[in-house]
Amino acid sequence: MTDVPSLPHSATRRELLRALLAGGIAAGGGLLAPGALAQPDVPRRGGRLTVATQSSSTADTLDPVKGALSTDYVRTHLFYSCLTSLDARLVPQPALAEECATDDATVWHIRLRKDVLFHDGKPLDAADVVYSLNRHNDPRSGSKAKALAEQFDTVRATGPLDVELRLKSANADLPVLLATAPFAIVQDGTTRFDTAIGTGPFRCQEFRPGVRTLAVRNPGYWRNGLPYLDEVVLFGIPDEPARLNALLSGDVDWINELNPRSTKRVRAAPGFNLLEAQSGLYTDLIVRQTVGAGRHPDFTLAMKYLIDREQIRRAVFRGYAVIGNDQPLAPNHRFYFAGLPQRPHDPERARYHLRKAGMLGTTVPVVASPAATGSVDMAMLMQQSAREAGLKLVIKRVSADGYWSNHWMKSPIGFGNINPRASADMLFTQFFQSNGPWNESGWQCPQFDQLLVQARGETDSERRKQMYADMQVLVHDKCGVAIPVFITNLEACSSRVRGIAPHPLGAFMGYAFGDHAWLAA
């Protein structure tokens, strides 16, 4: 891992935080899989790239603030641009913003790039940025990132291409936040999103929710010479075997969410490549702490001791995973707390906690679905351990279709599948803060909430690391979420797809392949 670079003793805080945007502070390097795809020197222009993801529904959206699935994030990065972008080390780089500068990590001055045009020819200006960022705190927008945007105090234009963003409290990670899909910039006053008018590398030619999206090259893109592709077709194939068959038959060029069991087929098929990236992706067991047995802390602990993490790593993910310890930061994260003792698989200790919770000898339903990667197999392994501990787990397998709207965060015991987040603050804010929009177990911890705000504004890396360590201990000990392993992100593509590499933020180069991908002849 790389920390703050060596700066002269005379460096000001403004210079240090300016270095963050310029790429001077690395965030979680070493996440790319070894053996990156060898690329010819000269990219080829033209062609249609067909991409199939694991998720698609009638709730698909072109509105960045409402995006919730990987397909939505891909669409956002095809059609819109953000103020910053994240490189392969999750370091923020300039995008629509030429500069994000601050003296105190509370008041930020954003200077926009000149001569950027929206797809309809309107020039980008400060009013577009003000409108886009303020939308999150408008209840009518339905923003999925409202918990993150609540830290914005005021956003105002200070010139045609200048914006002042004042936070309620300091956040040294603001340039990272502004690089994520929900904070993509839309045109001032936009309220309808039946099409997408952005500044991204592609224009929206067709959008049919739950069916497909057709993107065509934006000839006026502000990054000179890009994109390389003429068109991108995006649609969902929820069934993994069907998705893989579509790739191997040549019907699609690139797929995500590859099952580890399928890697042999990809390796054996000529003309295809496997992409691997260790990341913060995890499937978690969720015990809702507001209903039923989950209201008793000992029941939650019992469920955590029923998890055989090594068996899950080997049997469910075929070794394409890293052992987790019920803390949401992966071992390769720069703020991972390695000093937390590993929670063992221990049915006898689980029996002890079940007895304390008054649940010994009872029957408990567990909802699992292919939508939460590996959850069905994980539930079956837990079922075997539960018998040893004196608990009967009844697995209720439900379809992937509608799982996230009908069962996730609604079933007393179930599973989630959490994509990597660009920063620890984003992950903690969205999934573990008491009022977080995706606080899966309904966990309420004022101490955690207080540490979250303090860490967000802490510019000293070591002090911040200690705060994040304390927060990981709280999640490990008290939260109703168990994280058995961190899943290696597996994708597969035709060898014709060039210019791409695994990315720690997620599939399809962190959902932002539009600036990079091209097709060999």
Side-chain angles (χ1 to χ4, degrees), residues 485-520:
V485 298
F486 290 92
I487 306 166
T488 299
N489 190 11
L490 295 174
E491 305 168 73
C493 65
S494 164
S495 57
R496 292 181 61 239
V497 184
R498 306 293 178 85
I500 66 172
H503 195 283
L505 190 56
F508 310 118
M509 295 194 73
Y511 317 111
F513 64 85
D515 282 351
H516 308 280
W518 56 279
L519 293 173

mmCIF file of all heavy atoms in Angstrom, residues 485-520:
data_model
loop_
_atom_site.group_PDB
_atom_site.id
_atom_site.type_symbol
_atom_site.label_atom_id
_atom_site.label_comp_id
_atom_site.label_asym_id
_atom_site.label_seq_id
_atom_site.Cartn_x
_atom_site.Cartn_y
_atom_site.Cartn_z
ATOM 1 N N VAL A 485 -16.400 -13.849 3.143
ATOM 2 C CA VAL A 485 -15.260 -13.720 2.232
ATOM 3 C C VAL A 485 -15.437 -12.475 1.375
ATOM 4 O O VAL A 485 -16.539 -11.925 1.250
ATOM 5 C CB VAL A 485 -15.122 -14.956 1.298
ATOM 6 C CG1 VAL A 485 -14.859 -16.226 2.072
ATOM 7 C CG2 VAL A 485 -16.352 -15.108 0.403
ATOM 8 N N PHE A 486 -14.327 -12.039 0.783
ATOM 9 C CA PHE A 486 -14.370 -11.003 -0.246
ATOM 10 C C PHE A 486 -14.141 -11.698 -1.587
ATOM 11 O O PHE A 486 -13.154 -12.414 -1.772
ATOM 12 C CB PHE A 486 -13.318 -9.928 0.009
ATOM 13 C CG PHE A 486 -13.644 -9.089 1.208
ATOM 14 C CD1 PHE A 486 -13.156 -9.430 2.462
ATOM 15 C CD2 PHE A 486 -14.470 -7.982 1.096
ATOM 16 C CE1 PHE A 486 -13.480 -8.671 3.582
ATOM 17 C CE2 PHE A 486 -14.797 -7.216 2.203
ATOM 18 C CZ PHE A 486 -14.305 -7.562 3.448
ATOM 19 N N ILE A 487 -15.075 -11.484 -2.499
ATOM 20 C CA ILE A 487 -15.139 -12.262 -3.732
ATOM 21 C C ILE A 487 -14.262 -11.628 -4.804
ATOM 22 O O ILE A 487 -14.339 -10.423 -5.048
ATOM 23 C CB ILE A 487 -16.593 -12.339 -4.233
ATOM 24 C CG1 ILE A 487 -17.518 -12.869 -3.128
ATOM 25 C CG2 ILE A 487 -16.696 -13.214 -5.475
ATOM 26 C CD1 ILE A 487 -18.998 -12.651 -3.413
ATOM 27 N N THR A 488 -13.437 -12.450 -5.428
ATOM 28 C CA THR A 488 -12.672 -11.975 -6.573
ATOM 29 C C THR A 488 -13.637 -11.662 -7.709
ATOM 30 O O THR A 488 -14.498 -12.475 -8.047
ATOM 31 C CB THR A 488 -11.668 -13.042 -7.028
ATOM 32 O OG1 THR A 488 -10.764 -13.312 -5.950
ATOM 33 C CG2 THR A 488 -10.882 -12.574 -8.239
ATOM 34 N N ASN A 489 -13.504 -10.480 -8.260
ATOM 35 C CA ASN A 489 -14.379 -10.054 -9.347
ATOM 36 C C ASN A 489 -13.956 -10.772 -10.632
ATOM 37 O O ASN A 489 -12.843 -10.598 -11.114
ATOM 38 C CB ASN A 489 -14.276 -8.534 -9.507
ATOM 39 C CG ASN A 489 -15.331 -7.983 -10.445
ATOM 40 O OD1 ASN A 489 -16.257 -8.683 -10.826
ATOM 41 N ND2 ASN A 489 -15.174 -6.728 -10.828
ATOM 42 N N LEU A 490 -14.853 -11.594 -11.190
ATOM 43 C CA LEU A 490 -14.550 -12.383 -12.376
ATOM 44 C C LEU A 490 -15.395 -11.911 -13.549
ATOM 45 O O LEU A 490 -16.625 -11.835 -13.445
ATOM 46 C CB LEU A 490 -14.819 -13.868 -12.122
ATOM 47 C CG LEU A 490 -13.938 -14.559 -11.073
ATOM 48 C CD1 LEU A 490 -14.419 -15.984 -10.839
ATOM 49 C CD2 LEU A 490 -12.475 -14.555 -11.505
ATOM 50 N N GLU A 491 -14.721 -11.597 -14.646
ATOM 51 C CA GLU A 491 -15.384 -11.242 -15.893
ATOM 52 C C GLU A 491 -14.762 -12.050 -17.016
ATOM 53 O O GLU A 491 -13.662 -12.581 -16.872
ATOM 54 C CB GLU A 491 -15.208 -9.752 -16.200
ATOM 55 C CG GLU A 491 -15.659 -8.811 -15.106
ATOM 56 C CD GLU A 491 -15.177 -7.406 -15.369
ATOM 57 O OE1 GLU A 491 -15.716 -6.746 -16.283
ATOM 58 O OE2 GLU A 491 -14.245 -6.964 -14.668
ATOM 59 N N ALA A 492 -15.449 -12.110 -18.140
ATOM 60 C CA ALA A 492 -14.906 -12.787 -19.309
ATOM 61 C C ALA A 492 -15.280 -11.988 -20.541
ATOM 62 O O ALA A 492 -16.347 -11.358 -20.590
ATOM 63 C CB ALA A 492 -15.441 -14.213 -19.418
ATOM 64 N N CYS A 493 -14.396 -12.010 -21.520
ATOM 65 C CA CYS A 493 -14.660 -11.240 -22.728
ATOM 66 C C CYS A 493 -13.999 -11.897 -23.928
ATOM 67 O O CYS A 493 -13.079 -12.721 -23.784
ATOM 68 C CB CYS A 493 -14.159 -9.808 -22.583
ATOM 69 S SG CYS A 493 -12.369 -9.662 -22.413
ATOM 70 N N SER A 494 -14.473 -11.530 -25.087
ATOM 71 C CA SER A 494 -13.821 -11.941 -26.329
ATOM 72 C C SER A 494 -12.427 -11.321 -26.388
ATOM 73 O O SER A 494 -12.211 -10.189 -25.928
ATOM 74 C CB SER A 494 -14.659 -11.474 -27.524
ATOM 75 O OG SER A 494 -13.906 -11.518 -28.717
ATOM 76 N N SER A 495 -11.483 -12.052 -26.973
ATOM 77 C CA SER A 495 -10.129 -11.508 -27.094
ATOM 78 C C SER A 495 -10.076 -10.338 -28.070
ATOM 79 O O SER A 495 -9.062 -9.645 -28.159
ATOM 80 C CB SER A 495 -9.159 -12.612 -27.545
ATOM 81 O OG SER A 495 -9.593 -13.191 -28.774
ATOM 82 N N ARG A 496 -11.178 -10.091 -28.794
ATOM 83 C CA ARG A 496 -11.252 -8.920 -29.670
ATOM 84 C C ARG A 496 -11.378 -7.631 -28.863
ATOM 85 O O ARG A 496 -11.097 -6.542 -29.370
ATOM 86 C CB ARG A 496 -12.464 -9.020 -30.605
ATOM 87 C CG ARG A 496 -12.373 -10.110 -31.648
ATOM 88 C CD ARG A 496 -13.620 -10.092 -32.533
ATOM 89 N NE ARG A 496 -13.760 -8.818 -33.240
ATOM 90 C CZ ARG A 496 -14.815 -8.016 -33.126
ATOM 91 N NH1 ARG A 496 -15.823 -8.332 -32.321
ATOM 92 N NH2 ARG A 496 -14.870 -6.888 -33.823
ATOM 93 N N VAL A 497 -11.831 -7.749 -27.613
ATOM 94 C CA VAL A 497 -12.025 -6.558 -26.779
ATOM 95 C C VAL A 497 -10.676 -6.159 -26.204
ATOM 96 O O VAL A 497 -10.049 -6.909 -25.447
ATOM 97 C CB VAL A 497 -13.038 -6.822 -25.647
ATOM 98 C CG1 VAL A 497 -13.279 -5.537 -24.858
ATOM 99 C CG2 VAL A 497 -14.348 -7.355 -26.209
ATOM 100 N N ARG A 498 -10.225 -4.969 -26.554
ATOM 101 C CA ARG A 498 -8.900 -4.514 -26.157
ATOM 102 C C ARG A 498 -8.989 -3.210 -25.356
ATOM 103 O O ARG A 498 -10.041 -2.579 -25.285
ATOM 104 C CB ARG A 498 -8.030 -4.272 -27.394
ATOM 105 C CG ARG A 498 -7.939 -5.468 -28.344
ATOM 106 C CD ARG A 498 -7.207 -6.635 -27.725
ATOM 107 N NE ARG A 498 -7.176 -7.781 -28.624
ATOM 108 C CZ ARG A 498 -6.276 -7.977 -29.592
ATOM 109 N NH1 ARG A 498 -5.330 -7.077 -29.793
ATOM 110 N NH2 ARG A 498 -6.313 -9.055 -30.345
ATOM 111 N N GLY A 499 -7.862 -2.829 -24.776
ATOM 112 C CA GLY A 499 -7.788 -1.583 -24.024
ATOM 113 C C GLY A 499 -8.339 -1.663 -22.623
ATOM 114 O O GLY A 499 -8.458 -0.657 -21.944
ATOM 115 N N ILE A 500 -8.689 -2.867 -22.172
ATOM 116 C CA ILE A 500 -9.370 -3.004 -20.882
ATOM 117 C C ILE A 500 -8.495 -3.754 -19.889
ATOM 118 O O ILE A 500 -7.530 -4.431 -20.264
ATOM 119 C CB ILE A 500 -10.732 -3.710 -21.028
ATOM 120 C CG1 ILE A 500 -10.527 -5.172 -21.475
ATOM 121 C CG2 ILE A 500 -11.601 -2.961 -22.023
ATOM 122 C CD1 ILE A 500 -11.804 -5.990 -21.452
ATOM 123 N N ALA A 501 -8.838 -3.644 -18.615
ATOM 124 C CA ALA A 501 -8.138 -4.331 -17.534
ATOM 125 C C ALA A 501 -9.080 -4.426 -16.345
ATOM 126 O O ALA A 501 -10.037 -3.651 -16.237
ATOM 127 C CB ALA A 501 -6.866 -3.574 -17.149
ATOM 128 N N PRO A 502 -8.857 -5.379 -15.437
ATOM 129 C CA PRO A 502 -9.687 -5.443 -14.224
ATOM 130 C C PRO A 502 -9.561 -4.154 -13.418
ATOM 131 O O PRO A 502 -8.537 -3.455 -13.479
ATOM 132 C CB PRO A 502 -9.095 -6.630 -13.454
ATOM 133 C CG PRO A 502 -8.344 -7.428 -14.474
ATOM 134 C CD PRO A 502 -7.827 -6.432 -15.467
ATOM 135 N N HIS A 503 -10.601 -3.846 -12.663
ATOM 136 C CA HIS A 503 -10.615 -2.614 -11.872
ATOM 137 C C HIS A 503 -11.178 -2.925 -10.485
ATOM 138 O O HIS A 503 -12.180 -3.647 -10.368
ATOM 139 C CB HIS A 503 -11.492 -1.564 -12.567
ATOM 140 C CG HIS A 503 -11.307 -0.168 -12.053
ATOM 141 N ND1 HIS A 503 -11.858 0.263 -10.861
ATOM 142 C CD2 HIS A 503 -10.637 0.891 -12.550
ATOM 143 C CE1 HIS A 503 -11.539 1.524 -10.670
ATOM 144 N NE2 HIS A 503 -10.790 1.929 -11.681
ATOM 145 N N PRO A 504 -10.578 -2.402 -9.420
ATOM 146 C CA PRO A 504 -11.027 -2.744 -8.060
ATOM 147 C C PRO A 504 -12.413 -2.226 -7.701
ATOM 148 O O PRO A 504 -13.036 -2.726 -6.774
ATOM 149 C CB PRO A 504 -9.962 -2.098 -7.159
ATOM 150 C CG PRO A 504 -9.378 -1.007 -7.990
ATOM 151 C CD PRO A 504 -9.401 -1.509 -9.400
ATOM 152 N N LEU A 505 -12.921 -1.236 -8.430
ATOM 153 C CA LEU A 505 -14.218 -0.660 -8.080
ATOM 154 C C LEU A 505 -15.381 -1.507 -8.568
ATOM 155 O O LEU A 505 -16.475 -1.414 -8.034
ATOM 156 C CB LEU A 505 -14.337 0.760 -8.641
ATOM 157 C CG LEU A 505 -15.525 1.591 -8.169
ATOM 158 C CD1 LEU A 505 -15.539 1.688 -6.649
ATOM 159 C CD2 LEU A 505 -15.479 2.972 -8.792
ATOM 160 N N GLY A 506 -15.144 -2.337 -9.586
ATOM 161 C CA GLY A 506 -16.229 -3.161 -10.081
ATOM 162 C C GLY A 506 -15.998 -3.592 -11.510
ATOM 163 O O GLY A 506 -14.964 -3.300 -12.122
ATOM 164 N N ALA A 507 -16.993 -4.283 -12.045
ATOM 165 C CA ALA A 507 -16.898 -4.820 -13.396
ATOM 166 C C ALA A 507 -16.841 -3.707 -14.435
ATOM 167 O O ALA A 507 -17.129 -2.546 -14.153
ATOM 168 C CB ALA A 507 -18.102 -5.728 -13.668
ATOM 169 N N PHE A 508 -16.475 -4.110 -15.649
ATOM 170 C CA PHE A 508 -16.447 -3.198 -16.788
ATOM 171 C C PHE A 508 -15.590 -1.960 -16.502
ATOM 172 O O PHE A 508 -15.999 -0.830 -16.711
ATOM 173 C CB PHE A 508 -17.873 -2.815 -17.205
ATOM 174 C CG PHE A 508 -18.776 -3.991 -17.384
ATOM 175 C CD1 PHE A 508 -19.909 -4.163 -16.592
ATOM 176 C CD2 PHE A 508 -18.493 -4.964 -18.333
ATOM 177 C CE1 PHE A 508 -20.733 -5.259 -16.753
ATOM 178 C CE2 PHE A 508 -19.319 -6.074 -18.495
ATOM 179 C CZ PHE A 508 -20.446 -6.224 -17.697
ATOM 180 N N MET A 509 -14.393 -2.231 -15.948
ATOM 181 C CA MET A 509 -13.432 -1.169 -15.599
ATOM 182 C C MET A 509 -14.052 -0.148 -14.648
ATOM 183 O O MET A 509 -13.972 1.058 -14.864
ATOM 184 C CB MET A 509 -12.898 -0.491 -16.857
ATOM 185 C CG MET A 509 -12.065 -1.412 -17.742
ATOM 186 S SD MET A 509 -11.124 -0.532 -19.003
ATOM 187 C CE MET A 509 -9.842 0.241 -18.000
ATOM 188 N N GLY A 510 -14.652 -0.647 -13.589
ATOM 189 C CA GLY A 510 -15.306 0.257 -12.641
ATOM 190 C C GLY A 510 -16.496 0.942 -13.291
ATOM 191 O O GLY A 510 -16.823 2.070 -12.927
ATOM 192 N N TYR A 511 -17.148 0.236 -14.238
ATOM 193 C CA TYR A 511 -18.342 0.705 -14.965
ATOM 194 C C TYR A 511 -18.014 1.808 -15.969
ATOM 195 O O TYR A 511 -18.913 2.362 -16.580
ATOM 196 C CB TYR A 511 -19.434 1.191 -14.003
ATOM 197 C CG TYR A 511 -19.629 0.293 -12.814
ATOM 198 C CD1 TYR A 511 -19.275 0.700 -11.529
ATOM 199 C CD2 TYR A 511 -20.131 -0.995 -12.972
ATOM 200 C CE1 TYR A 511 -19.432 -0.149 -10.444
ATOM 201 C CE2 TYR A 511 -20.279 -1.845 -11.892
ATOM 202 C CZ TYR A 511 -19.927 -1.413 -10.629
ATOM 203 O OH TYR A 511 -20.072 -2.257 -9.558
ATOM 204 N N ALA A 512 -16.744 2.124 -16.160
ATOM 205 C CA ALA A 512 -16.370 3.292 -16.976
ATOM 206 C C ALA A 512 -15.470 2.898 -18.144
ATOM 207 O O ALA A 512 -14.466 3.558 -18.419
ATOM 208 C CB ALA A 512 -15.690 4.336 -16.096
ATOM 209 N N PHE A 513 -15.839 1.828 -18.861
ATOM 210 C CA PHE A 513 -14.994 1.352 -19.955
ATOM 211 C C PHE A 513 -15.096 2.205 -21.215
ATOM 212 O O PHE A 513 -14.300 2.041 -22.144
ATOM 213 C CB PHE A 513 -15.371 -0.090 -20.326
ATOM 214 C CG PHE A 513 -16.773 -0.236 -20.877
ATOM 215 C CD1 PHE A 513 -17.034 -0.024 -22.222
ATOM 216 C CD2 PHE A 513 -17.827 -0.588 -20.046
ATOM 217 C CE1 PHE A 513 -18.312 -0.159 -22.743
ATOM 218 C CE2 PHE A 513 -19.108 -0.721 -20.547
ATOM 219 C CZ PHE A 513 -19.355 -0.505 -21.903
ATOM 220 N N GLY A 514 -16.046 3.103 -21.293
ATOM 221 C CA GLY A 514 -16.312 3.847 -22.522
ATOM 222 C C GLY A 514 -15.124 4.614 -23.058
ATOM 223 O O GLY A 514 -14.992 4.792 -24.270
ATOM 224 N N ASP A 515 -14.246 5.066 -22.182
ATOM 225 C CA ASP A 515 -13.066 5.821 -22.614
ATOM 226 C C ASP A 515 -11.905 4.919 -23.041
ATOM 227 O O ASP A 515 -10.883 5.429 -23.512
ATOM 228 C CB ASP A 515 -12.561 6.717 -21.471
ATOM 229 C CG ASP A 515 -13.397 7.969 -21.313
ATOM 230 O OD1 ASP A 515 -14.245 8.227 -22.186
ATOM 231 O OD2 ASP A 515 -13.200 8.683 -20.317
ATOM 232 N N HIS A 516 -12.037 3.612 -22.861
ATOM 233 C CA HIS A 516 -10.873 2.744 -23.018
ATOM 234 C C HIS A 516 -11.057 1.628 -24.047
ATOM 235 O O HIS A 516 -10.110 1.289 -24.752
ATOM 236 C CB HIS A 516 -10.524 2.115 -21.663
ATOM 237 C CG HIS A 516 -10.369 3.102 -20.556
ATOM 238 N ND1 HIS A 516 -9.223 3.840 -20.365
ATOM 239 C CD2 HIS A 516 -11.238 3.502 -19.579
ATOM 240 C CE1 HIS A 516 -9.376 4.643 -19.318
ATOM 241 N NE2 HIS A 516 -10.581 4.465 -18.824
ATOM 242 N N ALA A 517 -12.223 1.020 -24.082
ATOM 243 C CA ALA A 517 -12.407 -0.200 -24.867
ATOM 244 C C ALA A 517 -12.371 0.058 -26.370
ATOM 245 O O ALA A 517 -12.846 1.084 -26.854
ATOM 246 C CB ALA A 517 -13.731 -0.859 -24.485
ATOM 247 N N TRP A 518 -11.798 -0.907 -27.082
ATOM 248 C CA TRP A 518 -11.854 -0.900 -28.541
ATOM 249 C C TRP A 518 -11.828 -2.341 -29.029
ATOM 250 O O TRP A 518 -11.556 -3.267 -28.267
ATOM 251 C CB TRP A 518 -10.717 -0.086 -29.143
ATOM 252 C CG TRP A 518 -9.319 -0.465 -28.750
ATOM 253 C CD1 TRP A 518 -8.663 -0.109 -27.601
ATOM 254 C CD2 TRP A 518 -8.406 -1.262 -29.503
ATOM 255 N NE1 TRP A 518 -7.397 -0.624 -27.592
ATOM 256 C CE2 TRP A 518 -7.200 -1.332 -28.750
ATOM 257 C CE3 TRP A 518 -8.461 -1.901 -30.736
ATOM 258 C CZ2 TRP A 518 -6.083 -2.046 -29.186
ATOM 259 C CZ3 TRP A 518 -7.348 -2.600 -31.188
ATOM 260 C CH2 TRP A 518 -6.182 -2.673 -30.409
ATOM 261 N N LEU A 519 -12.159 -2.539 -30.294
ATOM 262 C CA LEU A 519 -12.282 -3.877 -30.852
ATOM 263 C C LEU A 519 -11.223 -4.120 -31.911
ATOM 264 O O LEU A 519 -11.062 -3.317 -32.838
ATOM 265 C CB LEU A 519 -13.665 -4.077 -31.470
ATOM 266 C CG LEU A 519 -14.851 -4.094 -30.499
ATOM 267 C CD1 LEU A 519 -16.157 -4.119 -31.270
ATOM 268 C CD2 LEU A 519 -14.767 -5.297 -29.561
ATOM 269 N N ALA A 520 -10.508 -5.230 -31.754
ATOM 270 C CA ALA A 520 -9.551 -5.630 -32.778
ATOM 271 C C ALA A 520 -10.302 -6.136 -34.000
ATOM 272 O O ALA A 520 -11.449 -6.594 -33.906
ATOM 273 C CB ALA A 520 -8.623 -6.710 -32.242
#
